[in-house]
Amino acid sequence: MTNDNMKVRVNDLHKRFGDAHVLRGIDLEVREGEVVCIIGPSGSGKSTLLRCLNRLEEPTSGRVEVDGHVVNCPQADINKIRENIGMVFQHFNLFPHMSVMKNITCAPVDLKKMTKAEAGHKAQELLARVGLSDKREAYPRQLSGGQQQRVAIARALAMNPDIMLFDEPTSALDPEMVGEVLQVMRELAAGGMTMIVVTHEMGFAREVADRVIFMAEGQIVEQNTPAALFGHPAQARTRDFLARV
């Protein structure tokens, strides 16, 4: 495994919130083009780990490196680093007062990555890609949850990120809307996007992931290919979790 295709490297990452020790010595490496799914019980630190990768949460100690940049270095230009890290949240986080088109184009234009015309063209391409070409002038309140989440994915892709982080992107959706979001994610994975996905969708993890990580109590308990982890989990804690889902 060479350094030049390593997109994420985490060493001995700890995160505390007061007395709560949420991450306890996480080590993680993710290669370019790899799809990694993180599963585990609620409260195991999965989302906190994801948020430490783009410093939405400040690590208490350890080292987080993304695309060769140390994210939690005081001198790091975190806004510049974040331009290459797309993030999709559980609750969409769209701007309610902006149209779909404006939601997608505002960051590339405001950060001077694209002209308005370039951003508009890119947004049209992305809306077609997520099956929402007819919703460009709609507002978030006029969309279903599944549609809002697909817009959120398009918005993240508008910055041409190297890495996409997904924090339980389907957990706030009605069951019939889950499939449409997972399909967009499948297509991204098939296109070679580096993806780290915190998810409760075991079928998606089994089908799409190159590697599945099981976390519990702030630690990585085990990680393996989907076939090995779901078929022959090595740890009793993993077997217990999988028996319950």
Side-chain angles (χ1 to χ4, degrees):
M1 193 181 290
T2 59
N3 286 341
D4 57 8
N5 73 345
M6 193 73 68
K7 295 305 251 184
V8 175
R9 192 192 299 274
V10 176
N11 297 113
D12 196 26
L13 176 63
H14 290 259
K15 176 62 182 177
R16 293 178 183 270
F17 294 100
D19 294 334
H21 196 173
V22 177
L23 295 178
R24 300 167 177 260
I26 298 290
D27 294 309
L28 173 67
E29 292 183 340
V30 180
R31 295 188 307 277
E32 185 174 6
E34 193 175 14
V35 178
V36 174
C37 284
I38 304 175
I39 64 172
S42 296
S44 58
K46 306 182 301 294
S47 293
T48 301
L49 169 58
L50 210 63
R51 292 170 68 87
C52 283
L53 296 182
N54 60 3
R55 223 171 84 192
L56 288 176
E57 296 291 353
E58 192 74 45
T60 302
S61 64
R63 179 183 172 98
V64 178
E65 191 176 318
V66 178
D67 262 342
H69 302 284
V70 181
V71 171
N72 57 322
C73 165
Q75 289 76 39
D77 184 347
I78 190 60
N79 291 324
K80 194 73 180 166
I81 294 170
R82 282 179 184 149
E83 289 179 10
N84 290 321
I85 308 173
M87 179 103 181
V88 177
F89 300 88
Q90 181 177 348
H91 293 291
F92 326 136
N93 288 20
L94 298 176
F95 297 114
H97 61 289
M98 291 184 183
S99 69
V100 163
M101 199 70 171
K102 186 70 173 169
N103 261 284
I104 297 172
T105 58
C106 63
V109 172
D110 290 351
L111 295 171
K112 297 183 169 50
K113 296 268 280 191
M114 300 179 196
T115 66
K116 282 187 177 180
E118 289 168 340
H121 181 70
K122 177 77 172 177
Q124 294 274 37
E125 286 181 354
L126 290 169
L127 285 172
R129 189 169 172 183
V130 301
L132 291 172
S133 293
D134 60 331
K135 300 294 185 184
R136 58 192 301 272
E137 299 304 332
Y139 284 79
R141 66 180 179 276
Q142 298 169 312
L143 304 176
S144 69
Q147 289 170 333
Q148 288 186 62
Q149 194 60 294
R150 283 185 282 156
V151 171
I153 293 172
R155 180 180 63 179
L157 291 172
M159 292 293 289
N160 294 320
D162 293 329
I163 301 164
M164 286 285 283
L165 309 178
F166 293 86
D167 189 8
E168 300 194 18
T170 60
S171 62
L173 300 178
D174 293 333
E176 66 268 21
M177 295 174 187
V178 168
E180 64 192 50
V181 173
L182 293 182
Q183 183 55 36
V184 172
M185 294 171 64
R186 284 188 192 95
E187 291 166 6
L188 275 180
M193 176 64 75
T194 307
M195 296 166 57
I196 305 175
V197 185
V198 171
T199 186
H200 292 297
E201 300 290 339
M202 299 300 148
F204 176 83
R206 189 188 295 263
E207 174 194 349
V208 177
D210 297 300
R211 179 160 42 115
V212 179
I213 292 172
F214 173 66
M215 283 184 67
E217 295 168 0
Q219 296 179 307
I220 293 177
V221 176
E222 69 175 293
Q223 54 184 308
N224 215 323
T225 63
L229 190 134
F230 287 113
H232 308 285
Q235 302 298 322
R237 183 70 183 85
T238 315
R239 290 194 292 272
D240 179 58
F241 173 78
L242 292 175
R244 295 167 186 264
V245 297

